[in-house]
Structure formats: structure tokens, C-alpha cells
Amino acid sequence: MPRFTFLGSGSQLAWVVSIALLSVPIPASAQTETAKPVFVDGQAQVVPAFANASEWIHEQLWVETEFDSDKNGKRDRVHVDVTRQKQTGADGLRVPVIYESSPYFAGTASGRAILWDVQHELGVDPPARTIHPSIGFNANRKSVSNSLISTWVPRGFAVVHSEATGTGLSSGSPTVGGAPERLAPKAVIDWLNGRAKGYTTLDGQTEIRAEWCTGKVGMTGTSYDGTIPVAAATTGVKGLEAIIPVAPNTSYYHYYRSNGLVRSPGGYLGEDIDSLYDFINSGDPVQREAGNRLYRDGAFAKGQDRRTGDYNAFWAEHDLLPFTKNIKCAVLMAHAFNDWNVVPEHSVRISQAIKGRVPLVQYFHQGGHGGDPPLELMNKWFTRFLYDVQNGIEKGPKAYIVRESAPSSPRPAPTPYDDYPNPAASPVSFFLTSGGKTAGGLSPVKPVKQSTEELTDDVSLDATKLVQAADSPNRLLYATPELTAPVHLSGTARVTIRLAASAAAANLSVYLVQLPWTVGPIGTANLITRGWADPQNAKSLTKGGDYHSMERGTPLKPGEFVTLTFDLEPDDQIIPVGKRIGLMILSSDHDFTLWPKPGTKLTVDLDATRIILPVVGGSAAFKLAVGDR
């Protein structure tokens, strides 16, 4: 007789039928029954019959797209590999797919010679970038990548990889945020659903079909590889059921500019969209010249505008936000609050746009670039939406945040929250009181009329040195009283500054910090958040929010005051007892902005300058933390 063995508990129960031998012989059909996925506690489990890597089926193919990125008169084809269980062959098992696409799989350029020289004055044409390395090409590669396979194939998912257009063995040209980066993964998903054609060779006509696929696809990846799932989702392609983007770049303007200012991604001073093109241009050398002409030396050179940093039609074409209305899949968004390469606004802006329209959960940690959500969370997400297991993941907490910990400690488990930003957070305005050359005050109480204070730009002094200086003419610093209770900030801080400059152009950088500053890596022990803006764009910077103004910046009139409002990077941080919250204003940022010669003066009107902080518990919580001081 059958015996039912219970394998787990929770919202999704897993049962396996085992046959008690007794005196009844096992039917031949039972001896040869095809292995199937197993789910326990709402998660796909490793199935021993799926776990033997030597039995996996590997396929290589080229999927034809609907575009011609290098304008050679032929539709681009993207190089794809598939790894699936042997049971999807003769046994006829059909499985969903976890898919990753990347421009990095075939290798990248090395060295920093592809970066722009940042040591020049503002508002002038920069020195030409003349070094364009050639990435090695291997026409005999038989696969794309091994990532994800060992995690997901044993759990009952096939894994698919593709090389981005113009990289590796894919034809066409890299477009770095152009339409092909949305349409190429769409073509692969269409192929998995029988709507597009795949071929056994780059230029042949022998077709290969994905009859083993259920048609349900999930995507994941980190950084550029995390951008592509969002890009694919913005097409609304049928079959893409769930994505887990990790640190995605959702706007190349937000990656290379901030509020009208030329601003590099952290760790890559001088990088711009054309140098990223050189970094990934790994396709067939025969096709590279066409791409160079069309994109790097054509559209990019014309549109990127390192002279002003202004937003324009070129940057609008390389932004995913306008396409978010097409997103239909479930989104588990992951980012780090101390990611200064792809800053956290990239994820938050997309999450805010889709919130309430599709299943959405946000995961954040306090570290740097990258960092997947816990495997349990990823497993439940893909299991729910690719296998339709009703595990309730989309009905639980809408945000998971890893709380602060010492840099040497292992990353703790995330804390669940109702949402991000924390629904209990409300805006609290803080005003400045004089003394910024040492440390003035920062308080919710607006002071009586004050004068102005001045700083002198000197890019040779990085922000970490300036914030530690007891007295400095090169920054202005304002701080709250010491906290006697923790203060939880959750959301986006917004700063309004009224200033005048002694030159026609100036950088503006703003840091929100913990004082005393803890010496060591940037993180939750010292930095809260930061942001940058171009005072020449003051007319556009009146409300904060996602900067998309097409209005051109205008040169400053020396000594004439302008007012600008802009957002710092989103954050969620608990400031501990014994710390002070500090606002530091400086001009050029050694690690992020252009490097003009020292000497430009910024004069700040204290009465017209403030910062709004998202405080959990609002003004009452902050008052409790500082008392009547």
C-alpha cells in the first residue's frame, strides 16, 4: 500500500509517495518514473536525480532578434547557451528557466587608460580620450557562462545565458543602454516560448527549439547583468514572470551625471558611456569598426556632453524609467545603501514607479556594490512565480533590510519591514546655525536671521579629510547635538541650498555624516549618504526628485545667489547613541567630480539653506533623541 511521507511544514506542503514493499511487487512504471521537482516550505529542493552534472544537457545556439544594431542589413543574433536536466530530454520533463544575460561573459578591456582625464576646468572641452584597447576574441567558445547552474539546475530549473549584442559570439554592436539591450533578452524569452527562432550557428538556417521549456522565465544578475533583467521587463514580454535585479543601472545619466554635474561612478573616476563601450566591445573584430563609428565615435560622442553635464535627448534614450509602465512581472529588487558605483537611487526610482502595480519586494544591505538577497528569498521568489507554488512570499513583508554591523562581521540576516521607505518615516526639516568652518549647528528649530558663510574649493583634499578637520576653510560643517537615543532614517534626504560662486561654474557636493567620523572604509560607521549638483542648473533644480530637465544650465554670475534643491542618495540607517548627525557642504569631490584648479569660493546663505531628513517617528522621535538641546 502507499505510504505518504511529510517532508516539511509551512504555507506550501511537500508530499512524496513512497511504496511500502511488503509483498506487493513494484510496478515497472514506478521503477522508471521521471524525477520531478520537489518543494518544501515554499522552496524548490535539490533533487538527486537532477544533481549529476555529468548528465546535464548542454546546448549552444543563436537567437535571431528583431533589430540590426550595426546596420549591416542583417538582423542581429545573440549567442545563447542552455543547461538543463537529462529528464528534459527523452523523459519529456518541462521546466522553467532562470536566465542571465551579460556583456561581460567573453571578457573585458583591462587598465584605466580608457577613462577620461578629469583634471581640467569646468565648462571646457576635456582632453581627448585616445586609447581604445582591443579585447581578445575566441571564435571557438562552446559555452557562454557557468554562473547560476550549480544552484538552480539541481532544483528543477534550466539555466540560460546570453551574450549581449556585440559581445562575445553575438553579432551586432554594443549600444550601452540602447534599445537593443531591451530587445535582445526579449528575443531570447520569445525563443523560449516558441515565438522567435534559434539556430545552431551564427549564420545558418538549421533551427533549434525549446520544447523542454514551460515558457516561464525568471531573470537575475548583478550590476550590468542586473540592468538587463529590468530592461527586458520594460518590454512587457510574455513569459518573463519574475526578476531579481541586483544593483541594476537603470539610467546612464544617473550613472555618469548628477543633477547637471559630471560625476563619475565610485572607483572609476573618469568613466563615461563611451569608455564603458570600449570596456565591453568584445565581439567579432570584423564588426567592431561599424559599431565604433555608429556609437562610440558617433551617437555617444555627440550626445554625452562632458562639457556641461546637462540632461538631453541622448540621455533620455538611455534611461529605463520611461518604460516601466510596461513591466508586468514580479520584481525582487536588491541593492546596497553604500554602493557608490551604481548608487541606490537606480533601484529605488524603479521600485517607486512600479509599486502597487506588480508584486514587489525590496532587499537592501549596508555594504558596497553587489550582494544577492539570501538564497531562501530568491528561491521562494522564483518558486512562487515560475512554478506557481503558493508560498505567500509576495504577501509578506515588502522590504528586507540588513541592519548595521561591524565591517568584520558576517552579514546578518535581513530585518523585515512593511515597506521601504519605512511607512513610519516623515520629513523633518533641519536648519543651519553659524560656525561651519569648525562645526555649526543643525537643528529643527529655525534660528533668527543669520549671515552667510564661505568655503574655498580645493579638490586635493578629499571629503574624509575635510570632515575630520577641526577647522577648515574648504568645507562647511553643521551638526546636531549628540544623540541620547538612536535615530532611524529611512528614505531620501533633500537639501535646499542658496549660494553664490566666485566663478561662472562650480561643483557642489553635500555629505550627510556621523560625527565623530570613524576612520576606516566608507560605511555605516561614518557616512550616512551624499549627493552632487551643478549650481548652473539651479532653474531646473527647484523641487528635488528624479532630475530629468531638458533645460540647459546657464553660467553663474559671480557673487549672484541662486537656490537649488536636490536629493541625496536613498538610505536606511539607524544612527546610534553617542553620534551627531552632520551636514557637510563642499565644492569639488576628489573621488567623484571633475578636478578644477583650487580657489573658487562658494558663499552659502544660512537662512535659506536646509535639509529635510526622513526620520522614523518624525520630529517627536528626533526630539526624544536630543532632548531640549
Side-chain angles (χ1 to χ4, degrees):
M1 61 179 291
R3 183 173 72 241
F4 295 88
T5 304
F6 178 57
L7 295 183
S9 61
S11 59
Q12 174 65 30
L13 304 182
W15 302 82
V16 170
V17 180
S18 62
I19 304 297
L21 296 179
L22 300 178
S23 59
V24 180
I26 302 174
S29 60
Q31 298 180 48
T32 60
E33 185 176 354
T34 301
K36 291 182 173 59
V38 173
F39 308 100
V40 178
D41 291 331
Q43 299 180 67
Q45 302 297 298
V46 172
V47 176
F50 296 162
N52 187 344
S54 66
E55 296 180 340
W56 292 340
I57 298 171
H58 301 277
E59 295 172 297
Q60 176 181 226
L61 65 141
W62 282 260
V63 171
E64 187 165 278
T65 69
E66 57 192 84
F67 57 83
D68 173 15
S69 63
D70 58 358
K71 312 302 181 188
N72 68 350
K74 300 178 182 178
R75 288 184 176 182
D76 292 355
R77 291 186 181 184
V78 292
H79 184 215
V80 175
D81 74 8
V82 175
T83 303
R84 53 191 174 93
Q85 304 79 3
K86 73 170 185 178
Q87 291 81 1
T88 61
D91 292 347
L93 178 68
R94 299 176 74 230
V95 296
V97 165
I98 293 178
Y99 168 34
E100 180 181 16
S101 182
S102 175
Y104 297 147
F105 287 143
T108 56
S110 59
R112 307 184 77 81
I114 61 174
L115 305 179
W116 286 85
D117 182 358
V118 299
Q119 194 166 351
H120 61 82
E121 295 306 302
L122 306 181
V124 303
D125 290 326
R129 191 177 69 86
T130 58
I131 296 178
H132 308 292
S134 180
I135 302 171
F137 179 72
N138 179 5
N140 298 314
R141 289 170 57 239
K142 301 301 182 185
S143 66
V144 176
S145 174
N146 293 319
S147 68
L148 304 176
I149 294 172
S150 62
T151 299
W152 297 110
V153 173
R155 288 177 166 85
F157 303 85
V159 170
V160 169
H161 304 101
S162 73
E163 297 185 291
T165 304
T167 70
L169 300 185
S170 292
S171 63
S173 173
T175 61
V176 194
E181 289 194 355
R182 302 193 302 273
L183 299 176
K186 175 185 179 295
V188 174
I189 295 166
D190 281 337
W191 172 73
L192 289 166
N193 281 272
R195 299 187 297 267
K197 292 184 177 182
Y199 299 93
T200 57
T201 61
L202 175 62
D203 52 8
Q205 295 300 315
T206 302
E207 289 189 38
I208 183 170
R209 294 180 174 84
E211 295 174 347
W212 47 268
C213 181
T214 63
K216 293 190 174 185
V217 181
M219 292 187 72
T220 190
T222 297
S223 195
Y224 211 138
D225 304 7
T227 302
I228 295 175
V230 181
T234 63
T235 68
V237 60
K238 187 176 180 180
L240 181 58
E241 304 294 336
I243 61 173
I244 307 178
V246 181
N249 173 356
T250 62
S251 163
Y252 279 90
Y253 186 84
H254 287 255
Y255 191 53
Y256 292 122
R257 308 287 186 269
S258 280
N259 301 302
L261 196 72
V262 175
R263 191 266 304 159
S264 301
Y268 300 92
L269 192 63
E271 185 182 316
D272 212 324
I273 193 167
D274 61 330
S275 46
L276 181 56
Y277 171 95
D278 279 342
F279 186 70
I280 65 171
N281 191 17
S282 62
D284 189 337
V286 173
Q287 69 195 32
R288 293 181 193 177
E289 182 54 39
N292 295 346
R293 183 181 68 255
L294 289 167
Y295 300 104
R296 186 192 68 195
D297 305 328
F300 296 177
K302 181 180 179 181
Q304 66 187 34
D305 186 12
R306 286 186 66 83
R307 182 172 185 144
T308 72
D310 289 344
Y311 191 75
N312 57 30
F314 168 79
W315 293 113
E317 292 169 358
H318 294 75
D319 190 343
L320 294 176
L321 188 65
F323 301 99
T324 54
K325 62 182 180 297
N326 300 321
I327 293 178
K328 300 174 182 176
C329 64
V331 179
L332 170 54
M333 189 71 79
H335 219 114
F337 287 123
N338 278 291
D339 185 349
W340 299 105
N341 176 358
V342 182
V343 291
E345 67 178 311
H346 283 274
S347 287
V348 172
R349 65 202 294 267
I350 301 299
S351 295
Q352 293 300 315
I354 64 175
K355 189 175 288 188
R357 293 198 297 104
V358 299
L360 170 69
V361 170
Q362 298 176 80
Y363 165 85
F364 298 98
H365 64 86
Q366 305 290 344
H369 188 52
D372 286 350
L375 179 59
E376 177 182 353
L377 188 57
M378 297 180 73
N379 192 332
K380 286 183 175 180
W381 199 254
F382 283 142
T383 297
R384 166 66 183 89
F385 294 104
L386 302 189
Y387 269 112
D388 199 28
V389 172
Q390 300 298 316
N391 56 25
I393 187 64
E394 79 280 18
K395 299 176 182 177
K398 296 299 185 288
Y400 292 86
I401 299 173
V402 177
R403 294 270 43 114
E404 299 75 6
S405 63
S408 60
S409 301
R411 187 176 296 165
T415 299
Y417 290 92
D418 289 341
D419 205 350
Y420 177 82
N422 192 310
S426 59
V428 179
S429 294
F430 289 79
F431 304 93
L432 284 53
T433 57
S434 59
K437 289 188 183 298
T438 52
L442 188 65
S443 169
V445 179
K446 189 170 184 178
V448 295
K449 186 171 178 60
Q450 302 179 94
S451 60
T452 60
E453 294 193 332
E454 183 181 271
L455 66 92
T456 302
D457 186 24
D458 188 347
V459 75
S460 69
L461 302 172
D462 71 51
T464 62
K465 290 185 175 67
L466 291 173
V467 73
Q468 294 176 69
D471 189 320
S472 174
N474 306 114
R475 55 92 177 123
L476 296 173
L477 181 62
Y478 307 91
T480 67
E482 182 178 307
L483 304 181
T484 58
V487 170
H488 186 179
L489 303 178
S490 180
T492 301
R494 177 167 294 174
V495 64
T496 296
I497 300 181
R498 184 171 186 262
L499 59 79
S502 64
N507 291 317
L508 177 62
S509 307
V510 174
Y511 277 55
L512 194 67
V513 299
Q514 293 188 34
L515 298 174
W517 180 272
T518 300
V519 177
I522 292 292
T524 56
N526 44 42
L527 180 68
I528 301 174
T529 185
R530 51 188 165 187
W532 306 264
D534 183 357
Q536 289 190 335
N537 293 76
K539 289 183 179 179
S540 304
L541 296 169
T542 59
K543 298 180 181 179
D546 207 334
Y547 177 71
H548 282 139
S549 174
M550 293 285 188
E551 186 172 358
R552 305 293 287 175
T554 56
L556 302 171
K557 295 179 181 179
E560 184 175 298
F561 280 86
V562 296
T563 301
L564 54 159
T565 297
F566 60 96
D567 290 348
L568 307 187
E569 286 302 315
D571 194 28
D572 191 295
Q573 193 171 148
I574 298 173
I575 317 304
V577 171
K579 289 284 193 174
R580 303 167 72 196
I581 298 173
L583 173 67
M584 182 171 69
I585 303 171
L586 61 151
S587 184
S588 298
D589 190 328
H590 180 275
D591 294 334
F592 292 93
T593 68
L594 299 178
W595 289 10
K597 292 179 181 178
T600 297
K601 297 182 184 300
L602 296 184
T603 303
V604 176
D605 180 352
L606 300 187
D607 288 334
T609 298
R610 67 183 181 275
I611 186 167
I612 300 174
L613 301 182
V615 180
V616 175
S619 56
F622 183 78
K623 185 176 181 180
L624 180 66
V626 298
D628 296 326
R629 293 171 295 161

